[in-house]
PDB file of all heavy atoms in Angstrom:
ATOM      1  N   LEU A   1       7.481 -20.742   1.007  1.00 97.00           N
ATOM      2  CA  LEU A   1       7.706 -20.529   2.434  1.00 97.00           C
ATOM      3  C   LEU A   1       7.560 -21.826   3.222  1.00 97.00           C
ATOM      4  O   LEU A   1       8.371 -22.051   4.161  1.00 97.00           O
ATOM      5  CB  LEU A   1       6.717 -19.481   2.946  1.00 97.00           C
ATOM      6  CG  LEU A   1       6.931 -18.050   2.406  1.00 97.00           C
ATOM      7  CD1 LEU A   1       5.742 -17.153   2.753  1.00 97.00           C
ATOM      8  CD2 LEU A   1       8.230 -17.450   2.929  1.00 97.00           C
ATOM      9  N   GLU A   2       6.605 -22.629   2.874  1.00 97.00           N
ATOM     10  CA  GLU A   2       6.452 -23.918   3.565  1.00 97.00           C
ATOM     11  C   GLU A   2       7.643 -24.843   3.294  1.00 97.00           C
ATOM     12  O   GLU A   2       8.119 -25.551   4.180  1.00 97.00           O
ATOM     13  CB  GLU A   2       5.137 -24.573   3.136  1.00 97.00           C
ATOM     14  CG  GLU A   2       4.913 -25.989   3.692  1.00 97.00           C
ATOM     15  CD  GLU A   2       4.976 -26.053   5.206  1.00 97.00           C
ATOM     16  OE1 GLU A   2       4.692 -25.051   5.893  1.00 97.00           O
ATOM     17  OE2 GLU A   2       5.314 -27.140   5.725  1.00 97.00           O
ATOM     18  N   LYS A   3       8.146 -24.829   2.054  1.00 95.00           N
ATOM     19  CA  LYS A   3       9.333 -25.642   1.729  1.00 95.00           C
ATOM     20  C   LYS A   3      10.543 -25.145   2.523  1.00 95.00           C
ATOM     21  O   LYS A   3      11.365 -25.948   2.969  1.00 95.00           O
ATOM     22  CB  LYS A   3       9.631 -25.574   0.241  1.00 95.00           C
ATOM     23  CG  LYS A   3       8.668 -26.336  -0.634  1.00 95.00           C
ATOM     24  CD  LYS A   3       8.993 -26.195  -2.087  1.00 95.00           C
ATOM     25  CE  LYS A   3       7.995 -26.910  -3.001  1.00 95.00           C
ATOM     26  NZ  LYS A   3       8.282 -26.704  -4.425  1.00 95.00           N
ATOM     27  N   THR A   4      10.649 -23.842   2.713  1.00 96.00           N
ATOM     28  CA  THR A   4      11.745 -23.284   3.519  1.00 96.00           C
ATOM     29  C   THR A   4      11.624 -23.812   4.965  1.00 96.00           C
ATOM     30  O   THR A   4      12.620 -24.170   5.584  1.00 96.00           O
ATOM     31  CB  THR A   4      11.680 -21.747   3.518  1.00 96.00           C
ATOM     32  OG1 THR A   4      11.785 -21.284   2.175  1.00 96.00           O
ATOM     33  CG2 THR A   4      12.806 -21.169   4.332  1.00 96.00           C
ATOM     34  N   ARG A   5      10.416 -23.823   5.493  1.00 96.00           N
ATOM     35  CA  ARG A   5      10.233 -24.333   6.856  1.00 96.00           C
ATOM     36  C   ARG A   5      10.571 -25.821   6.956  1.00 96.00           C
ATOM     37  O   ARG A   5      11.215 -26.246   7.934  1.00 96.00           O
ATOM     38  CB  ARG A   5       8.782 -24.132   7.281  1.00 96.00           C
ATOM     39  CG  ARG A   5       8.490 -24.573   8.736  1.00 96.00           C
ATOM     40  CD  ARG A   5       7.032 -24.888   8.941  1.00 96.00           C
ATOM     41  NE  ARG A   5       6.592 -26.053   8.167  1.00 96.00           N
ATOM     42  CZ  ARG A   5       6.847 -27.310   8.515  1.00 96.00           C
ATOM     43  NH1 ARG A   5       7.542 -27.579   9.624  1.00 96.00           N
ATOM     44  NH2 ARG A   5       6.444 -28.305   7.772  1.00 96.00           N
ATOM     45  N   ALA A   6      10.191 -26.604   5.956  1.00 95.00           N
ATOM     46  CA  ALA A   6      10.319 -28.054   6.041  1.00 95.00           C
ATOM     47  C   ALA A   6      11.684 -28.559   5.633  1.00 95.00           C
ATOM     48  O   ALA A   6      12.036 -29.692   5.992  1.00 95.00           O
ATOM     49  CB  ALA A   6       9.246 -28.703   5.168  1.00 95.00           C
ATOM     50  N   THR A   7      12.478 -27.791   4.885  1.00 94.00           N
ATOM     51  CA  THR A   7      13.778 -28.268   4.412  1.00 94.00           C
ATOM     52  C   THR A   7      14.823 -28.077   5.510  1.00 94.00           C
ATOM     53  O   THR A   7      14.908 -27.011   6.116  1.00 94.00           O
ATOM     54  CB  THR A   7      14.202 -27.474   3.159  1.00 94.00           C
ATOM     55  OG1 THR A   7      13.196 -27.611   2.161  1.00 94.00           O
ATOM     56  CG2 THR A   7      15.522 -27.984   2.603  1.00 94.00           C
ATOM     57  N   PRO A   8      15.613 -29.119   5.806  1.00 93.00           N
ATOM     58  CA  PRO A   8      16.556 -29.030   6.945  1.00 93.00           C
ATOM     59  C   PRO A   8      17.510 -27.850   6.862  1.00 93.00           C
ATOM     60  O   PRO A   8      17.751 -27.189   7.865  1.00 93.00           O
ATOM     61  CB  PRO A   8      17.331 -30.366   6.838  1.00 93.00           C
ATOM     62  CG  PRO A   8      16.364 -31.299   6.171  1.00 93.00           C
ATOM     63  CD  PRO A   8      15.592 -30.458   5.196  1.00 93.00           C
ATOM     64  N   ASN A   9      18.052 -27.578   5.688  1.00 92.00           N
ATOM     65  CA  ASN A   9      18.953 -26.412   5.515  1.00 92.00           C
ATOM     66  C   ASN A   9      18.374 -25.561   4.414  1.00 92.00           C
ATOM     67  O   ASN A   9      18.470 -25.886   3.235  1.00 92.00           O
ATOM     68  CB  ASN A   9      20.367 -26.875   5.165  1.00 92.00           C
ATOM     69  CG  ASN A   9      21.072 -27.572   6.314  1.00 92.00           C
ATOM     70  OD1 ASN A   9      21.475 -26.934   7.275  1.00 92.00           O
ATOM     71  ND2 ASN A   9      21.200 -28.900   6.214  1.00 92.00           N
ATOM     72  N   ALA A  10      17.732 -24.456   4.812  1.00 93.00           N
ATOM     73  CA  ALA A  10      17.071 -23.629   3.833  1.00 93.00           C
ATOM     74  C   ALA A  10      17.112 -22.176   4.226  1.00 93.00           C
ATOM     75  O   ALA A  10      17.055 -21.826   5.404  1.00 93.00           O
ATOM     76  CB  ALA A  10      15.585 -24.075   3.688  1.00 93.00           C
ATOM     77  N   LEU A  11      17.210 -21.323   3.218  1.00 96.00           N
ATOM     78  CA  LEU A  11      17.166 -19.870   3.400  1.00 96.00           C
ATOM     79  C   LEU A  11      16.448 -19.300   2.194  1.00 96.00           C
ATOM     80  O   LEU A  11      16.739 -19.648   1.057  1.00 96.00           O
ATOM     81  CB  LEU A  11      18.564 -19.291   3.535  1.00 96.00           C
ATOM     82  CG  LEU A  11      18.681 -17.782   3.893  1.00 96.00           C
ATOM     83  CD1 LEU A  11      19.921 -17.541   4.727  1.00 96.00           C
ATOM     84  CD2 LEU A  11      18.701 -16.908   2.648  1.00 96.00           C
ATOM     85  N   CYS A  12      15.483 -18.423   2.428  1.00 97.00           N
ATOM     86  CA  CYS A  12      14.605 -17.945   1.362  1.00 97.00           C
ATOM     87  C   CYS A  12      14.762 -16.438   1.189  1.00 97.00           C
ATOM     88  O   CYS A  12      14.736 -15.665   2.163  1.00 97.00           O
ATOM     89  CB  CYS A  12      13.151 -18.264   1.707  1.00 97.00           C
ATOM     90  SG  CYS A  12      11.937 -17.666   0.510  1.00 97.00           S
ATOM     91  N   LEU A  13      14.879 -16.003  -0.080  1.00 97.00           N
ATOM     92  CA  LEU A  13      14.733 -14.611  -0.437  1.00 97.00           C
ATOM     93  C   LEU A  13      13.302 -14.440  -0.944  1.00 97.00           C
ATOM     94  O   LEU A  13      12.848 -15.176  -1.823  1.00 97.00           O
ATOM     95  CB  LEU A  13      15.721 -14.237  -1.527  1.00 97.00           C
ATOM     96  CG  LEU A  13      17.193 -14.455  -1.258  1.00 97.00           C
ATOM     97  CD1 LEU A  13      18.037 -13.921  -2.425  1.00 97.00           C
ATOM     98  CD2 LEU A  13      17.633 -13.824   0.043  1.00 97.00           C
ATOM     99  N   PHE A  14      12.593 -13.446  -0.410  1.00 98.00           N
ATOM    100  CA  PHE A  14      11.176 -13.239  -0.740  1.00 98.00           C
ATOM    101  C   PHE A  14      11.019 -11.792  -1.177  1.00 98.00           C
ATOM    102  O   PHE A  14      11.118 -10.876  -0.397  1.00 98.00           O
ATOM    103  CB  PHE A  14      10.320 -13.532   0.505  1.00 98.00           C
ATOM    104  CG  PHE A  14       8.835 -13.478   0.240  1.00 98.00           C
ATOM    105  CD1 PHE A  14       8.190 -14.528  -0.364  1.00 98.00           C
ATOM    106  CD2 PHE A  14       8.090 -12.390   0.642  1.00 98.00           C
ATOM    107  CE1 PHE A  14       6.819 -14.490  -0.598  1.00 98.00           C
ATOM    108  CE2 PHE A  14       6.735 -12.324   0.434  1.00 98.00           C
ATOM    109  CZ  PHE A  14       6.090 -13.386  -0.194  1.00 98.00           C
ATOM    110  N   GLN A  15      10.807 -11.591  -2.498  1.00 96.00           N
ATOM    111  CA  GLN A  15      10.863 -10.264  -3.059  1.00 96.00           C
ATOM    112  C   GLN A  15       9.609  -9.899  -3.831  1.00 96.00           C
ATOM    113  O   GLN A  15       9.001 -10.761  -4.483  1.00 96.00           O
ATOM    114  CB  GLN A  15      12.084 -10.119  -3.988  1.00 96.00           C
ATOM    115  CG  GLN A  15      13.402 -10.343  -3.283  1.00 96.00           C
ATOM    116  CD  GLN A  15      14.236 -11.470  -3.888  1.00 96.00           C
ATOM    117  OE1 GLN A  15      15.390 -11.264  -4.245  1.00 96.00           O
ATOM    118  NE2 GLN A  15      13.686 -12.648  -4.035  1.00 96.00           N
ATOM    119  N   GLY A  16       9.240  -8.641  -3.771  1.00 96.00           N
ATOM    120  CA  GLY A  16       8.109  -8.127  -4.523  1.00 96.00           C
ATOM    121  C   GLY A  16       8.025  -6.631  -4.307  1.00 96.00           C
ATOM    122  O   GLY A  16       8.392  -6.135  -3.241  1.00 96.00           O
ATOM    123  N   PRO A  17       7.584  -5.865  -5.304  1.00 95.00           N
ATOM    124  CA  PRO A  17       7.542  -4.404  -5.156  1.00 95.00           C
ATOM    125  C   PRO A  17       6.555  -3.970  -4.061  1.00 95.00           C
ATOM    126  O   PRO A  17       5.772  -4.759  -3.574  1.00 95.00           O
ATOM    127  CB  PRO A  17       7.108  -3.936  -6.538  1.00 95.00           C
ATOM    128  CG  PRO A  17       6.384  -5.093  -7.141  1.00 95.00           C
ATOM    129  CD  PRO A  17       7.053  -6.309  -6.615  1.00 95.00           C
ATOM    130  N   THR A  18       6.611  -2.691  -3.720  1.00 95.00           N
ATOM    131  CA  THR A  18       5.669  -2.125  -2.759  1.00 95.00           C
ATOM    132  C   THR A  18       4.233  -2.380  -3.201  1.00 95.00           C
ATOM    133  O   THR A  18       3.892  -2.256  -4.376  1.00 95.00           O
ATOM    134  CB  THR A  18       5.905  -0.605  -2.633  1.00 95.00           C
ATOM    135  OG1 THR A  18       7.272  -0.387  -2.233  1.00 95.00           O
ATOM    136  CG2 THR A  18       4.986  -0.020  -1.577  1.00 95.00           C
ATOM    137  N   LEU A  19       3.385  -2.822  -2.245  1.00 95.00           N
ATOM    138  CA  LEU A  19       1.967  -3.110  -2.456  1.00 95.00           C
ATOM    139  C   LEU A  19       1.732  -4.337  -3.349  1.00 95.00           C
ATOM    140  O   LEU A  19       0.711  -4.473  -4.000  1.00 95.00           O
ATOM    141  CB  LEU A  19       1.246  -1.897  -3.059  1.00 95.00           C
ATOM    142  CG  LEU A  19       1.221  -0.626  -2.201  1.00 95.00           C
ATOM    143  CD1 LEU A  19       0.557   0.517  -2.917  1.00 95.00           C
ATOM    144  CD2 LEU A  19       0.525  -0.892  -0.882  1.00 95.00           C
ATOM    145  N   SER A  20       2.718  -5.239  -3.359  1.00 96.00           N
ATOM    146  CA  SER A  20       2.567  -6.476  -4.155  1.00 96.00           C
ATOM    147  C   SER A  20       1.928  -7.594  -3.344  1.00 96.00           C
ATOM    148  O   SER A  20       1.667  -8.685  -3.881  1.00 96.00           O
ATOM    149  CB  SER A  20       3.925  -6.933  -4.674  1.00 96.00           C
ATOM    150  OG  SER A  20       4.821  -7.215  -3.581  1.00 96.00           O
ATOM    151  N   GLY A  21       1.662  -7.361  -2.042  1.00 95.00           N
ATOM    152  CA  GLY A  21       1.003  -8.368  -1.227  1.00 95.00           C
ATOM    153  C   GLY A  21       1.937  -9.147  -0.310  1.00 95.00           C
ATOM    154  O   GLY A  21       1.519 -10.183   0.263  1.00 95.00           O
ATOM    155  N   LYS A  22       3.183  -8.717  -0.166  1.00 96.00           N
ATOM    156  CA  LYS A  22       4.162  -9.459   0.644  1.00 96.00           C
ATOM    157  C   LYS A  22       3.692  -9.636   2.088  1.00 96.00           C
ATOM    158  O   LYS A  22       3.724 -10.737   2.621  1.00 96.00           O
ATOM    159  CB  LYS A  22       5.535  -8.740   0.625  1.00 96.00           C
ATOM    160  CG  LYS A  22       6.192  -8.637  -0.731  1.00 96.00           C
ATOM    161  CD  LYS A  22       7.623  -8.125  -0.648  1.00 96.00           C
ATOM    162  CE  LYS A  22       7.706  -6.722  -0.052  1.00 96.00           C
ATOM    163  NZ  LYS A  22       7.023  -5.700  -0.877  1.00 96.00           N
ATOM    164  N   SER A  23       3.300  -8.535   2.725  1.00 94.00           N
ATOM    165  CA  SER A  23       2.935  -8.601   4.135  1.00 94.00           C
ATOM    166  C   SER A  23       1.736  -9.490   4.359  1.00 94.00           C
ATOM    167  O   SER A  23       1.679 -10.260   5.337  1.00 94.00           O
ATOM    168  CB  SER A  23       2.665  -7.201   4.672  1.00 94.00           C
ATOM    169  OG  SER A  23       3.833  -6.405   4.640  1.00 94.00           O
ATOM    170  N   THR A  24       0.727  -9.408   3.485  1.00 94.00           N
ATOM    171  CA  THR A  24      -0.464 -10.255   3.623  1.00 94.00           C
ATOM    172  C   THR A  24      -0.093 -11.724   3.550  1.00 94.00           C
ATOM    173  O   THR A  24      -0.572 -12.543   4.331  1.00 94.00           O
ATOM    174  CB  THR A  24      -1.484  -9.908   2.499  1.00 94.00           C
ATOM    175  OG1 THR A  24      -1.873  -8.536   2.652  1.00 94.00           O
ATOM    176  CG2 THR A  24      -2.713 -10.796   2.608  1.00 94.00           C
ATOM    177  N   ILE A  25       0.769 -12.082   2.613  1.00 96.00           N
ATOM    178  CA  ILE A  25       1.191 -13.474   2.449  1.00 96.00           C
ATOM    179  C   ILE A  25       2.005 -13.938   3.638  1.00 96.00           C
ATOM    180  O   ILE A  25       1.820 -15.040   4.168  1.00 96.00           O
ATOM    181  CB  ILE A  25       1.978 -13.644   1.131  1.00 96.00           C
ATOM    182  CG1 ILE A  25       1.037 -13.422  -0.062  1.00 96.00           C
ATOM    183  CG2 ILE A  25       2.620 -15.006   1.049  1.00 96.00           C
ATOM    184  CD1 ILE A  25       1.754 -13.333  -1.401  1.00 96.00           C
ATOM    185  N   LEU A  26       2.919 -13.113   4.111  1.00 97.00           N
ATOM    186  CA  LEU A  26       3.743 -13.466   5.252  1.00 97.00           C
ATOM    187  C   LEU A  26       2.880 -13.688   6.522  1.00 97.00           C
ATOM    188  O   LEU A  26       3.108 -14.604   7.296  1.00 97.00           O
ATOM    189  CB  LEU A  26       4.808 -12.404   5.522  1.00 97.00           C
ATOM    190  CG  LEU A  26       5.919 -12.329   4.453  1.00 97.00           C
ATOM    191  CD1 LEU A  26       6.771 -11.097   4.673  1.00 97.00           C
ATOM    192  CD2 LEU A  26       6.798 -13.595   4.496  1.00 97.00           C
ATOM    193  N   ASN A  27       1.914 -12.802   6.726  1.00 95.00           N
ATOM    194  CA  ASN A  27       1.016 -12.962   7.877  1.00 95.00           C
ATOM    195  C   ASN A  27       0.214 -14.239   7.762  1.00 95.00           C
ATOM    196  O   ASN A  27       0.010 -14.961   8.755  1.00 95.00           O
ATOM    197  CB  ASN A  27       0.060 -11.740   7.971  1.00 95.00           C
ATOM    198  CG  ASN A  27       0.741 -10.465   8.431  1.00 95.00           C
ATOM    199  OD1 ASN A  27       1.766 -10.525   9.099  1.00 95.00           O
ATOM    200  ND2 ASN A  27       0.200  -9.334   8.046  1.00 95.00           N
ATOM    201  N   GLU A  28      -0.250 -14.557   6.546  1.00 95.00           N
ATOM    202  CA  GLU A  28      -0.979 -15.782   6.341  1.00 95.00           C
ATOM    203  C   GLU A  28      -0.096 -16.996   6.650  1.00 95.00           C
ATOM    204  O   GLU A  28      -0.562 -17.988   7.263  1.00 95.00           O
ATOM    205  CB  GLU A  28      -1.504 -15.850   4.895  1.00 95.00           C
ATOM    206  CG  GLU A  28      -2.395 -17.051   4.612  1.00 95.00           C
ATOM    207  CD  GLU A  28      -2.891 -17.081   3.169  1.00 95.00           C
ATOM    208  OE1 GLU A  28      -2.518 -16.192   2.394  1.00 95.00           O
ATOM    209  OE2 GLU A  28      -3.637 -18.015   2.835  1.00 95.00           O
ATOM    210  N   PHE A  29       1.146 -16.948   6.219  1.00 97.00           N
ATOM    211  CA  PHE A  29       2.068 -18.039   6.456  1.00 97.00           C
ATOM    212  C   PHE A  29       2.342 -18.202   7.961  1.00 97.00           C
ATOM    213  O   PHE A  29       2.251 -19.327   8.492  1.00 97.00           O
ATOM    214  CB  PHE A  29       3.389 -17.785   5.725  1.00 97.00           C
ATOM    215  CG  PHE A  29       4.508 -18.711   6.122  1.00 97.00           C
ATOM    216  CD1 PHE A  29       4.434 -20.072   5.802  1.00 97.00           C
ATOM    217  CD2 PHE A  29       5.627 -18.227   6.806  1.00 97.00           C
ATOM    218  CE1 PHE A  29       5.474 -20.950   6.146  1.00 97.00           C
ATOM    219  CE2 PHE A  29       6.655 -19.103   7.160  1.00 97.00           C
ATOM    220  CZ  PHE A  29       6.574 -20.427   6.841  1.00 97.00           C
ATOM    221  N   VAL A  30       2.607 -17.119   8.660  1.00 97.00           N
ATOM    222  CA  VAL A  30       2.885 -17.210  10.106  1.00 97.00           C
ATOM    223  C   VAL A  30       1.666 -17.743  10.849  1.00 97.00           C
ATOM    224  O   VAL A  30       1.781 -18.559  11.769  1.00 97.00           O
ATOM    225  CB  VAL A  30       3.303 -15.809  10.648  1.00 97.00           C
ATOM    226  CG1 VAL A  30       3.375 -15.841  12.167  1.00 97.00           C
ATOM    227  CG2 VAL A  30       4.674 -15.417  10.081  1.00 97.00           C
ATOM    228  N   ASP A  31       0.463 -17.299  10.459  1.00 95.00           N
ATOM    229  CA  ASP A  31      -0.738 -17.757  11.121  1.00 95.00           C
ATOM    230  C   ASP A  31      -0.980 -19.242  10.907  1.00 95.00           C
ATOM    231  O   ASP A  31      -1.678 -19.907  11.706  1.00 95.00           O
ATOM    232  CB  ASP A  31      -1.960 -16.983  10.611  1.00 95.00           C
ATOM    233  CG  ASP A  31      -1.976 -15.544  11.092  1.00 95.00           C
ATOM    234  OD1 ASP A  31      -1.244 -15.234  12.050  1.00 95.00           O
ATOM    235  OD2 ASP A  31      -2.713 -14.730  10.499  1.00 95.00           O
TER     236      ASP A  31
END
């Protein structure tokens, strides 16, 4: 996620099954 932010032209697919921790990680990244 940090590389996506720092790379001039970047788009990220972020995948994981339900309850795999996606939301927790995204909130940590945004914070």
Side-chain angles (χ1 to χ4, degrees):
L1 291 169
E2 175 56 27
K3 288 178 182 178
T4 301
R5 183 203 66 78
T7 303
N9 291 287
L11 186 148
C12 178
L13 304 184
F14 186 78
Q15 299 123 126
T18 302
L19 298 177
S20 61
K22 297 189 298 298
S23 296
T24 299
I25 292 170
L26 290 170
N27 288 334
E28 184 181 2
F29 169 67
V30 171
D31 289 344

